Amino acid sequence: MKKIAVLAFVLVSTFTMAQRIKVVSGDASVLKGQEKVNVEFDYSKLTLMKDELPEERYVAERKADLNEKNAGVGDKWEKEWNGAKKLIWEEKFLALMQKYCTEKKGVDFETGHTGTKYTLVVEVLWIYPGWDVYVQKQPAKMTCNLKIVETDNKGNVVFEMSAKDAPGAQFGSQFNNETRIGESFAKCGKTFAGYLVKKVL
């Protein structure tokens, strides 16, 4: 039992250290002096799993598989999956942005802000939901681009950072895929907020 626990710890530790962030272009210092920044999430390019399945195909296949095993379960899961985007994933990301950028630096990052000069676009590119079978588990991971654009001219990207394989924290049991994925969004939000606080704000 001890060997299994140690193996699980090593697996979690390995994935926790695996995130890679890189400034792609531009300068985030344009946010200096801003009180509010609008936030938008873009899932139009989202793929999933190691095979990088388009989201539409992933959802259709998983829904069909669950319904085949137990009628109606797949339909319920599809609603939970779509709802998780706003209720879990985005909330987790924003909570960490607000904890560091809003509470410490007074810059409010939130969806639905109007009249802001800049918008942060979180372009979600890839998700791996991980798994949890009690002692053995693997955290979720996500890859995204974080783009600061002019709100009135979103084609003008003034800053872009890539976050690859952001791992979600996984303590205790997290049997729900959507919850594990939410922790990856939290990790991404914390990392980006930390960069802004240290380098920009």
Side-chain angles (χ1 to χ4, degrees):
M1 182 63 108
K2 286 185 178 180
K3 289 183 178 179
I4 295 176
V6 170
L7 176 60
F9 175 79
V10 170
L11 282 172
V12 172
S13 299
T14 299
F15 280 95
T16 301
M17 297 170 61
Q19 182 185 22
R20 298 187 294 280
I21 61 171
K22 180 179 70 173
V23 173
V24 177
S25 64
D27 185 354
S29 64
V30 295
L31 295 183
K32 286 184 178 179
Q34 302 298 312
E35 295 182 356
K36 295 181 179 181
V37 178
N38 186 41
V39 183
E40 295 181 356
F41 292 83
D42 179 3
Y43 300 94
S44 63
K45 298 179 182 177
L46 174 59
T47 63
L48 294 108
M49 310 304 287
K50 293 180 180 179
D51 294 334
E52 298 186 0
L53 302 174
E55 182 187 14
E56 184 177 358
R57 177 180 168 186
Y58 170 79
V59 171
E61 290 182 356
R62 181 163 172 77
K63 175 183 174 181
D65 183 57
L66 291 172
N67 277 335
E68 185 178 349
K69 294 175 181 176
N70 195 339
V73 172
D75 299 285
K76 180 182 177 181
W77 170 81
E78 183 180 24
K79 292 179 181 179
E80 292 175 350
W81 174 266
N82 290 326
K85 291 176 180 176
K86 288 192 177 297
L87 298 177
I88 301 177
W89 306 350
E90 295 174 16
E91 285 299 313
K92 288 279 189 178
F93 180 93
L94 292 168
L96 272 296
M97 291 293 295
Q98 291 163 357
K99 178 179 179 180
Y100 292 97
C101 294
T102 307
E103 295 177 14
K104 293 185 177 182
K105 296 296 181 178
V107 184
D108 186 23
F109 286 80
E110 185 58 271
T111 57
H113 274 327
T114 59
T116 62
K117 186 173 183 179
Y118 297 105
T119 292
L120 168 63
V121 178
V122 182
E123 185 181 47
V124 186
L125 301 176
W126 178 75
I127 288 174
Y128 176 72
W131 42 268
D132 190 328
V133 286
Y134 297 98
V135 176
Q136 298 186 43
K137 56 192 68 181
Q138 189 174 110
K141 297 181 287 183
M142 70 170 290
T143 292
C144 67
N145 289 332
L146 300 149
K147 300 179 179 180
I148 298 171
V149 304
E150 290 185 349
T151 299
D152 294 334
N153 180 19
K154 292 180 180 176
N156 184 18
V157 180
V158 297
F159 175 80
E160 181 174 352
M161 170 181 280
S162 67
K164 185 175 177 59
D165 296 340
Q170 191 163 345
F171 301 102
S173 296
Q174 293 179 340
F175 302 121
N176 182 280
N177 284 357
E178 291 71 55
T179 300
R180 285 196 304 275
I181 292 168
E183 293 303 320
S184 292
F185 276 75
K187 173 64 174 177
C188 189
K190 181 178 181 180
T191 300
F192 187 55
Y195 173 84
L196 294 179
V197 168
K198 184 178 180 180
K199 301 287 187 179
V200 178
L201 303 178

